[in-house]
Amino acid sequence: MDNEMIEFDIGLGGREGDDDFVEIEHPVEDEEMVDSPLLGSASGSVNGVGFSGGSGEIYLPEGDLLDLEPYDGMEFESEEAAKAFYNSYARRVGFSTRVSSSRRSRRDGAIIQRQFVCAKEGFRNLNEKRTKDREIKRPRTVTRVGCKASLSVKMQDSGKWVVSGFVKEHNHELVPPDQVHCLRSHRQISGPAKTLIDTLQAAGMGPRRIMSALIKEYGGISKVGFTEVDCRNYMRNNRQRSLDGDIQMLLDYLRLMQADNQNFFYAVQGDEDQAMGNVIWADPKAKTNYNYFGDTVTFDTTYRSNRYRLPFAPITGINHHGQPVLFGCAFLINESEASFVWLFKTWLMAMSGRPPLSITTDHDPVIQSAIMQVFPQTRHRFCKWHIFKKCQEKLSHVFLQHPSFEADFHKCVNLTESIEEFESCWLSLVDRYDLRDHEWLQTVYSARRQWVPVYLRDTFFAEMSITQRSDSMNSYFDGYVNASTNLSQFFKLYEKALESRNEKEVKADFDTMNTSPVLKTPSPMEKQASEFYTKKIFMRFQEELVGTLTFTASKGDDDGMIISYQVAKFGEDHKAYYVKLNVLDMMASCSCQMFEFSGLLCRHVLAVFRVTNVLTLPSHYILKRWTRNAKSSVMLEERSSDVYTNYLESHTVRYNTLRHEAFKFVDGAKSSETYDLALDALKEAAKKVAHAIKNDGRNVMVNGHIRGNLAGGGSRANYTIGDHDGSSGQNLSEDDMDKKIRELTYELECANRKCEVYRANLLSLLKDIEDHKLQLSIKVENIKISMKDGF
């Protein structure tokens, strides 16, 4: 029976004078701990026959003492010897013992009399004050039945202890031999068992697997002599002892790091000397990384679980190459809500008080509550990888009985395109596999808005795909930490991981700057993207751009400002995406919301751009955090506005605007009368455009009005052109004024062209400077790495 235990209310070695002390055990998970006292050492002799019960060993009499019962006048060398003897007798008979009362000497306060009783002696005395002040969440089972069985001993003048009273009879059933090991006073871990537990724990095994190994080693649970709860407690105490030393080691390491660099940040919750709270730290590079890539954050607590059993949690993000980047680290001692609130507030302060747009964590209600308090405006997401992993554990019977369930579950979560589709798919899934009443599945369903992709697509999480099979925590230290890693080993692995991650980023920078990607289309947009994006991000964008070749975009509603398009693959109109395009502002939105989620335009929007002759990416669709200059001071908008790009963008906008307005005439000319009016209007407009082209299309502002081709000819008037201060002027004829205006306009056009050339040259120079600076930093990092390898 998993997680079940025969329960006995036992307590040898309980607190002196506290006959109301009891332990109630509950089934627990691997991470939980239940206290269990251990029997102290005992040694001495009974009527001259020596024995020992030291090192937590259970005293088992041998030979003539095997069936010996206590009797009045029996002598012991010490109180501990009497206690050990009575407990061994209780083990043979089938009950548990505890210390009931004692009597002290008025002369020196030494204990001179003890009474050991059956654990079922007396009746429970409920503490009225305690139950009145607070509600008892887990009421304890009543196990006291007024049993009178006991052994009383008192100290003689010789220093020996003698039995002064013995009651043999019990008023309850005794426990059979195969269940005695469950009684509290008989649950002891022997020396060899401790050694085996230590070895298996160091190898990363959990209590359940260790208990299975012990049962196999000893030939049965009754011969092991203790329960899984005791094994958990012993392992917990081992970890706590190791942790105490690790904490001091951690603080020493952090103090040393801060001494080397004053910008190194660390903080300890509570008193640093005692170090009983959480610890958090961030080096200067982590702070810098957050300035560039702190829009989305992951708080990775997987290391504290059964996976590694290390109370360590890195805070990470994603850099411009799609690689994990470190924002700080936490050492988790106390995992209460208040502790997490302190941890998040302290980290936020170290990051200059700027919260992220989104954060991803484990599915933990305590962490969730802390995030709601510290990051109320940040979108909180539960790690989908963790929920899928838990699903395999909680629904293991379903996975075994129905091999198709896993694929159906992933399809429902990852491949549904709308909230309505997901809800329908989920209901179908739980009905098909009869899981409507499954408690855990209902719990994660109620939290669906925080882990199912269709509910999260409107928020930036820096992920390249919204239909991927499963997202992971992008654990920064994976490959450096394993199940047997302790904190003392971790320091070296931590520094090694930092060096390796930094080296990978430098290599990605080098590859981006020194390799030209292969272009797959003649599109100016692809060439433009290849010059701005990093190598990995460009390749992902290129997939979307090439993917547009298999899509068609059909025009739908047009309200004068927004045009709707239906985008679908050839022959798959039933699975269409919907794009809305604002022609004037070059703003587009797609029903798949890939840009909102990942910061890259989807193939559906790009397909609409293709059919509307948008030749280059508008600058507001190139996120600086994905570009090769993500860490530079040159603004993306400036870099994207070179002469050629400016021309293409402005030409495209003008072309689309004119075409959009012209179509209004076509759509409205449904009768012969409206057709004639529209045709006349277009002919008149064509004449004006031809005249404007003849005069270089120059319109100037004169006294607040557009000065150009005057309708109706009109009389030839005189205009006054004032000085800059408006104090004087000269009268000019209209012909002279037109000539003057053309001269000034020509000079202005020349000046504008020169400015554009200077601006393009300046931006080119800035680009060269940034590229050169980046290449120098790469060379410096490579030299550092080679020097370390040399040492």
Side-chain angles (χ1 to χ4, degrees):
M1 296 183 293
D2 293 339
N3 288 334
E4 294 187 6
M5 187 172 295
I6 301 172
E7 194 55 52
F8 300 96
D9 181 19
I10 320 296
L12 181 65
R15 289 175 295 183
E16 193 173 298
D18 186 1
D19 61 349
D20 209 23
F21 179 73
V22 67
E23 176 190 61
I24 296 180
E25 295 171 356
H26 297 269
V28 293
E29 297 295 334
D30 280 354
E31 295 83 9
E32 296 177 353
M33 299 297 172
V34 180
D35 289 326
S36 176
L38 297 178
L39 179 65
S41 61
S43 62
S45 63
V46 180
N47 292 348
V49 180
F51 68 91
S52 174
S55 302
E57 299 285 353
I58 301 172
Y59 164 61
L60 296 175
E62 298 178 359
D64 295 337
L65 300 179
L66 185 61
D67 299 319
L68 188 64
E69 287 187 354
Y71 57 86
D72 289 346
M74 178 181 286
E75 290 186 349
F76 299 92
E77 290 295 325
S78 65
E79 174 200 348
E80 289 77 14
K83 186 187 342 183
F85 174 79
Y86 188 59
N87 198 52
S88 66
Y89 162 75
R91 182 182 180 89
R92 297 198 307 273
V93 175
F95 69 97
S96 186
T97 65
R98 60 184 174 85
V99 179
S100 175
S101 62
S102 60
R103 183 179 177 186
R104 295 181 180 273
S105 170
R106 294 180 178 178
R107 184 174 64 251
D108 55 10
I111 296 176
I112 58 175
Q113 188 170 337
R114 281 282 198 191
Q115 184 181 34
F116 310 113
V117 298
C118 172
K120 294 182 178 292
E121 180 267 346
F123 298 94
R124 184 157 308 287
N125 178 24
L126 291 176
N127 188 322
E128 296 295 337
K129 183 177 185 302
R130 184 176 65 180
T131 56
K132 186 184 298 184
D133 292 345
R134 64 180 176 85
E135 179 184 357
I136 299 177
K137 295 182 179 179
R138 299 190 304 179
R140 296 176 176 181
T141 306
V142 176
T143 56
R144 304 284 178 87
V145 295
C147 182
K148 299 295 184 182
S150 64
L151 176 72
S152 299
V153 294
K154 61 182 180 180
M155 189 172 67
Q156 304 284 56
D157 292 339
S158 63
K160 293 186 178 183
W161 289 71
V162 63
V163 175
S164 59
F166 171 60
V167 179
K168 178 180 179 181
E169 292 75 18
H170 296 261
N171 67 348
H172 56 88
E173 292 186 3
L174 299 176
V175 177
D178 62 340
Q179 296 177 3
V180 169
H181 69 281
C182 294
L183 295 170
R184 184 178 177 187
S185 68
H186 306 310
R187 285 159 36 193
Q188 309 300 324
I189 303 179
S190 65
K194 288 181 181 178
T195 301
L196 184 55
I197 292 174
D198 293 343
T199 302
L200 298 179
Q201 183 180 10
M205 290 179 63
R208 290 181 183 175
R209 294 178 61 193
I210 290 178
M211 280 302 296
S212 297
L214 288 167
I215 291 170
K216 185 176 181 180
E217 177 71 18
Y218 285 92
I221 182 64
S222 61
K223 295 182 181 180
V224 172
F226 53 90
T227 66
E228 185 179 322
V229 172
D230 302 311
C231 182
R232 293 179 194 275
N233 295 340
Y234 176 76
M235 293 174 66
R236 187 230 13 221
N237 293 335
N238 272 355
R239 283 195 294 270
Q240 188 60 47
R241 284 192 296 270
S242 175
L243 194 59
D244 291 341
D246 287 345
I247 294 171
Q248 190 56 50
M249 191 182 304
L250 173 64
L251 292 178
D252 291 342
Y253 175 82
L254 296 179
R255 292 188 188 106
L256 181 63
M257 294 298 289
Q258 192 177 66
D260 289 342
N261 190 331
Q262 291 301 311
N263 291 323
F264 185 93
F265 170 86
Y266 81 95
V268 181
Q269 185 180 17
D271 186 356
E272 183 173 334
D273 294 333
Q274 296 179 355
M276 293 306 293
N278 294 324
V279 182
I280 188 168
W281 71 93
D283 60 26
K285 186 174 179 61
K287 298 179 188 178
T288 303
N289 286 334
Y290 186 79
N291 287 333
Y292 299 127
F293 310 113
D295 40 20
T296 185
V297 167
T298 294
F299 182 59
D300 185 356
T301 54
T302 55
Y303 296 95
R304 66 178 178 152
S305 66
N306 291 341
R307 189 178 175 198
Y308 297 118
R309 300 184 181 277
L310 190 69
F312 172 76
I315 304 170
T316 61
I318 301 294
N319 69 6
H320 53 322
H321 299 292
Q323 300 168 332
V325 60
L326 194 63
F327 296 150
C329 299
F331 192 64
L332 305 174
I333 308 298
N334 185 338
E335 299 183 30
S336 65
E337 180 180 317
S339 291
F340 280 116
V341 169
W342 171 88
L343 189 147
F344 291 137
K345 284 184 176 179
T346 306
W347 175 77
L348 186 61
M349 177 187 68
M351 298 296 120
S352 303
R354 180 171 62 90
L357 298 175
S358 60
I359 186 169
T360 303
T361 73
D362 189 357
H363 184 200
D364 187 323
V366 177
I367 297 177
Q368 180 182 7
S369 179
I371 287 176
M372 290 174 65
Q373 297 177 55
V374 183
F375 306 111
Q377 304 302 319
T378 299
R379 189 70 177 273
H380 181 202
R381 178 180 69 164
F382 298 137
C383 177
K384 191 170 58 176
W385 174 87
H386 180 266
I387 290 179
F388 282 158
K389 182 173 179 289
K390 276 290 183 183
C391 181
Q392 293 174 346
E393 297 174 8
K394 299 292 184 179
L395 300 174
S396 57
H397 62 290
V398 181
F399 278 76
L400 290 174
Q401 294 174 8
H402 305 284
S404 62
F405 172 76
E406 183 176 9
D408 289 343
F409 184 76
H410 280 282
K411 181 180 178 181
C412 177
V413 172
N414 289 320
L415 300 182
T416 48
E417 296 292 341
S418 66
I419 292 175
E420 293 76 16
E421 185 183 355
F422 166 77
E423 295 289 350
S424 175
C425 186
W426 183 274
L427 289 176
S428 175
L429 182 76
V430 295
D431 285 341
R432 187 184 312 137
Y433 295 100
D434 194 22
L435 295 171
R436 270 186 179 266
D437 298 326
H438 193 279
E439 184 178 354
W440 179 84
L441 205 59
Q442 288 300 315
T443 300
V444 296
Y445 173 73
S446 65
R448 61 193 180 280
R449 288 175 177 81
Q450 289 183 266
W451 67 277
V452 177
V454 291
Y455 292 98
L456 297 162
R457 291 176 178 174
D458 60 345
T459 304
F460 182 74
F461 283 98
E463 291 183 6
M464 295 299 98
S465 173
I466 56 180
T467 60
Q468 56 192 6
R469 188 169 178 80
S470 175
D471 61 276
S472 70
M473 283 283 198
N474 285 312
S475 296
Y476 189 88
F477 294 94
D478 275 4
Y480 299 93
V481 176
N482 55 47
S484 61
T485 302
N486 56 42
L487 195 63
S488 60
Q489 298 169 327
F490 176 75
F491 294 130
K492 291 182 179 179
L493 298 174
Y494 167 82
E495 293 182 349
K496 187 176 180 181
L498 293 183
E499 290 181 7
S500 176
R501 293 293 184 184
N502 185 55
E503 183 180 351
K504 288 179 180 178
E505 182 175 334
V506 169
K507 186 178 185 304
D509 282 336
F510 181 84
D511 290 343
T512 296
M513 299 301 296
N514 292 277
T515 58
S516 298
V518 178
L519 302 182
K520 298 182 179 180
T521 72
S523 167
M525 186 180 292
E526 184 181 16
K527 185 177 188 302
Q528 174 199 22
S530 70
E531 294 173 351
F532 286 110
Y533 287 136
T534 60
K535 182 179 180 180
K536 181 175 180 180
I537 303 304
F538 169 72
M539 291 174 66
R540 181 66 188 88
F541 173 80
Q542 191 180 51
E543 289 179 22
E544 295 299 312
L545 187 64
V546 173
T548 64
L549 300 177
T550 61
F551 279 79
T552 59
S554 304
K555 184 180 178 182
D557 296 336
D558 182 354
D559 63 2
M561 283 292 291
I562 307 296
I563 307 176
S564 297
Y565 290 88
Q566 180 175 310
V567 183
K569 281 188 176 182
F570 291 107
E572 295 185 9
D573 292 340
H574 62 284
K575 192 177 181 181
Y577 299 87
Y578 299 92
V579 176
K580 293 183 178 180
L581 175 66
N582 185 321
V583 179
L584 300 180
D585 296 334
M586 279 295 149
M587 297 291 293
S589 63
C590 181
S591 58
C592 79
Q593 295 182 301
M594 178 175 164
F595 182 77
E596 291 82 355
F597 188 76
S598 67
L600 290 176
L601 279 178
C602 61
R603 58 191 63 188
H604 319 120
V605 170
L606 294 176
V608 171
F609 280 176
R610 188 186 73 237
V611 300
T612 54
N613 293 318
V614 178
L615 303 179
T616 61
L617 278 175
S619 59
H620 49 264
Y621 283 120
I622 305 177
L623 296 190
K624 184 180 179 184
R625 62 118 51 236
W626 288 136
T627 66
R628 58 181 64 193
N629 291 306
K631 295 184 176 183
S632 75
S633 58
V634 178
M635 296 301 293
L636 175 63
E637 290 75 17
E638 295 177 355
R639 286 292 309 279
S640 64
S641 300
D642 58 65
V643 179
Y644 179 65
T645 302
N646 241 356
Y647 167 75
L648 288 175
E649 288 187 4
S650 60
H651 174 77
T652 302
V653 171
R654 291 197 299 267
Y655 175 84
N656 280 284
T657 303
L658 289 173
R659 190 175 66 165
H660 179 67
E661 293 297 324
F663 271 120
K664 290 182 180 179
F665 285 87
V666 177
D667 294 337
K670 296 182 180 179
S671 65
S672 58
E673 291 80 5
T674 55
Y675 167 77
D676 292 337
L677 288 172
L679 187 60
D680 290 340
L682 288 173
K683 287 180 178 179
E684 183 64 26
K687 292 179 181 178
K688 292 181 179 181
V689 170
H691 183 73
I693 293 173
K694 184 178 180 181
N695 293 289
D696 293 328
R698 301 184 184 107
N699 291 330
V700 296
M701 189 76 71
V702 179
N703 293 336
H705 298 283
I706 296 293
R707 173 72 176 90
N709 188 22
L710 298 177
S715 61
R716 306 185 71 82
N718 291 334
Y719 292 88
T720 300
I721 300 179
D723 295 337
H724 291 291
D725 60 1
S727 59
S728 64
Q730 59 181 356
N731 292 326
L732 296 175
S733 67
E734 186 173 342
D735 290 338
D736 292 337
M737 178 174 284
D738 286 344
K739 182 179 179 181
K740 187 68 174 179
I741 289 173
R742 284 195 294 271
E743 291 175 356
L744 293 174
T745 304
Y746 177 74
E747 292 179 8
L748 181 62
E749 288 291 336
C750 291
N752 283 336
R753 292 192 189 96
K754 289 180 181 179
C755 286
E756 287 295 336
V757 173
Y758 292 152
R759 189 166 181 268
N761 290 337
L762 179 59
L763 288 174
S764 177
L765 180 62
L766 287 174
K767 178 182 181 298
D768 292 340
I769 292 173
E770 289 295 332
D771 291 348
H772 185 61
K773 186 168 70 173
L774 186 58
Q775 289 175 350
L776 286 177
S777 67
I778 293 171
K779 289 180 180 179
V780 169
E781 292 297 332
N782 286 332
I783 291 171
K784 287 182 180 179
I785 294 169
S786 62
M787 290 177 66
K788 289 180 180 178
D789 293 341
F791 286 120

